[in-house]
């Protein structure tokens, strides 16, 4: 599971910082999460293949989280894209994007699908044979969701030595990897756990931006491998977080601690601070395994 931070600063883009956008590579998927202004430039800088993006997840309709989407959709058109593109986001995102395409007479030459969200409880919004994506209802000034990405358990691994010992025919390999027992020619039944090894533990990732402190999400994100949680302010400016419905680094760490996550990645920093190291210092007072998100930073879990 590989996370590339394209942008993770609050509000407006600057010469050296970009608003929220990130790419999650999980089980051969490449998911784009939020699409702030400048996302397609950041994709190029980080050598992310545009053609691999098939699903984009937008948390909410504040500009620093989706103003890059119209440009990216148009660029896909100019590049001659043919495969489908699916946009998952709040109700209204379809109207906003289609209006721009209509006014510019720039309809896509590829299938473009919108999956608009309105539910205020967790909702399964994507599933295939390997991954599920579920919304995490958040608390912000407008309707906002985080997203929980979970791998499904993989096939069991063949134990090569055991297969040779029991002289199992290759024709049975596929079923064995799926967990089935094997009956040998002499009628002996060999249990699957004698022929296979456990697959790697499924990975999970929770994206939570933007939101006020919301302990109600703890049960849903419990024990995830990695949590990205916004930390717009330090505790010394907590009064601003209450007004704008954002979180402090201390509050993000509290969520991570309560959920017993594997790692906490901070982001969505207010640009009022001279150093983002201050956020890490504050969070580590509560939760030990803290990482600072930053533009261009890559995490592997």
């Amino acid at each position: 599971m590989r996370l590339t931070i394209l942008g993770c600063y609050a509000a407006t883009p600057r010469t050296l910082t970009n608003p929220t956008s990130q790419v999650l590579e999980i089980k051969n998927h490449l998911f784009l999460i939020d699409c702030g202004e400048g996302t397609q430039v950041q994709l190029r800088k980080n050598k992310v293949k545009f053609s691999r993006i098939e699903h984009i997840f937008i948390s909410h309709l504040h500009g620093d989280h989706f103003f890059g989407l119209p440009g990216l959709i148009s660029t896909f058109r100019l590049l001659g894209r043919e495969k489908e593109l699916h946009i998952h986001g709040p109700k209204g995102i379809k109207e906003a994007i289609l209006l721009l395409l209509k006014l510019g007479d720039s309809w896509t030459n590829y299938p473009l699908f919108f999956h608009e969200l309105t539910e205020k409880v967790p909702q399964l919004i994507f599933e295939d044979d390997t991954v599920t994506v579920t919304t995490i209802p958040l608390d912000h000034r407008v309707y906002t969701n985080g997203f929980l990405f979970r791998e499904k358990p993989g096939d069991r691994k063949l134990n090569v030595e055991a297969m040779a010992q029991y002289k199992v025919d290759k024709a049975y390999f596929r079923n064995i990897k799926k967990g089935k027992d094997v009956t040998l020619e002499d009628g002996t039944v060999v249990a699957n756990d004698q022929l296979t090894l456990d697959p790697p533990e499924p990975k999970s990732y929770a994206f939570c931006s933007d939101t006020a402190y919301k302990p109600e999400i703890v049960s849903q994100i419990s024990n995830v491998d990695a949590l990205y949680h916004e930390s717009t302010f330090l505790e010394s400016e907590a009064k601003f977080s209450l007004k704008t419905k954002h979180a402090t680094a201390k509050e993000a760490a509290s969520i991570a601690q309560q959920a017993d996550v594997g790692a906490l990645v901070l982001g969505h920093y207010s640009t009022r601070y001279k150093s983002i190291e201050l956020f890490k210092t504050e969070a580590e007072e509560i939760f030990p395994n803290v990482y600072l998100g930053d533009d261009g930073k890559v995490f592997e879990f």
Side-chain angles (χ1 to χ4, degrees):
M1 188 170 70
R2 179 183 175 97
L3 177 69
T4 301
I5 306 292
L6 303 176
C8 66
Y9 288 79
T12 59
R14 299 186 302 169
T15 54
L16 296 176
T17 63
N18 293 273
T20 303
S21 185
Q22 52 187 245
V23 170
L24 180 69
E25 294 184 65
I26 181 171
K27 286 288 187 180
N28 294 319
H29 289 287
L30 195 153
F31 294 131
L32 180 63
I33 309 169
D34 275 349
C35 191
E37 187 178 349
T39 291
Q40 59 179 311
V41 175
Q42 288 297 98
L43 287 169
R44 292 190 186 281
K45 283 184 178 179
N46 288 276
K47 295 179 170 55
V48 178
K49 289 187 177 180
F50 284 28
S51 61
R52 288 192 59 200
I53 298 173
E54 297 181 16
H55 291 266
I56 300 176
F57 299 88
I58 302 297
S59 62
H60 64 294
L61 295 183
H62 280 161
D64 56 332
H65 293 259
F66 92 105
F67 276 179
L69 186 57
L72 184 61
I73 289 172
S74 297
T75 294
F76 283 151
R77 171 180 176 268
L78 295 174
L79 293 176
R81 183 187 180 101
E82 295 181 353
K83 66 168 63 173
E84 297 177 354
L85 180 66
H86 294 262
I87 311 295
H88 308 260
K91 184 176 181 181
I93 194 166
K94 179 178 180 178
E95 179 183 1
I97 298 300
L98 292 189
L99 177 60
L100 291 174
L101 297 180
K102 175 184 176 182
L103 293 176
D105 192 19
S106 302
W107 300 110
T108 62
N109 50 3
Y110 56 88
L112 179 61
F113 296 94
F114 292 90
H115 307 272
E116 295 195 310
L117 307 173
T118 58
E119 293 288 336
K120 295 185 178 180
V121 295
Q123 180 182 12
L124 179 67
I125 58 174
F126 174 84
E127 181 176 21
D128 66 5
D129 292 339
T130 60
V131 175
T132 63
V133 184
T134 307
T135 57
I136 306 171
L138 298 176
D139 180 14
H140 194 40
R141 301 193 307 278
V142 296
Y143 174 74
T144 305
N145 286 298
F147 302 103
L148 176 59
F149 301 82
R150 286 192 182 278
E151 293 181 349
K152 291 184 176 181
D155 290 343
R156 296 187 64 79
K157 304 296 182 182
L158 298 178
N159 185 329
V160 178
E161 293 181 1
M163 304 295 276
Q165 176 186 341
Y166 288 104
K167 299 180 180 178
V168 177
D169 191 283
K170 291 183 179 180
Y172 295 106
F173 283 10
R174 184 180 180 84
N175 285 337
I176 292 171
K177 291 171 69 175
K178 296 295 183 184
K180 294 184 179 180
D181 299 334
V182 170
T183 302
L184 304 178
E185 291 183 3
D186 63 3
T188 301
V189 177
V190 183
N192 185 268
D193 60 8
Q194 293 182 261
L195 299 170
T196 60
L197 304 171
D198 291 337
E201 282 292 316
K203 301 288 186 182
S204 53
Y205 173 66
F207 169 87
C208 296
S209 184
D210 299 8
T211 184
Y213 177 65
K214 187 178 181 182
E216 291 83 358
I217 69 174
V218 166
S219 60
Q220 186 183 0
I221 66 173
S222 178
N223 298 121
V224 296
D225 292 283
L227 164 66
Y228 175 90
H229 196 290
E230 75 128 285
S231 54
T232 307
F233 299 103
L234 296 175
E235 200 64 22
S236 56
E237 282 74 43
K239 62 181 180 182
F240 296 120
S241 69
L242 292 172
K243 180 181 179 180
T244 59
K245 289 209 166 185
H246 282 296
T248 65
K250 181 178 179 180
E251 289 171 333
S254 178
I255 293 292
Q257 180 193 53
Q258 293 175 63
D260 194 22
V261 305
L264 170 64
V265 181
L266 298 177
H268 202 266
Y269 317 109
S270 168
T271 53
R272 71 178 58 231
Y273 302 103
K274 292 183 179 180
S275 172
I276 62 174
E277 288 292 334
L278 298 170
F279 293 87
K280 188 173 190 288
T281 300
E282 182 169 287
E284 284 180 332
E285 294 176 2
I286 294 175
F287 184 79
N289 201 17
V290 178
Y291 297 90
L292 288 173
D294 206 356
D295 297 5
K297 210 162 192 178
V298 177
F299 299 95
E300 300 215 12
F301 303 101

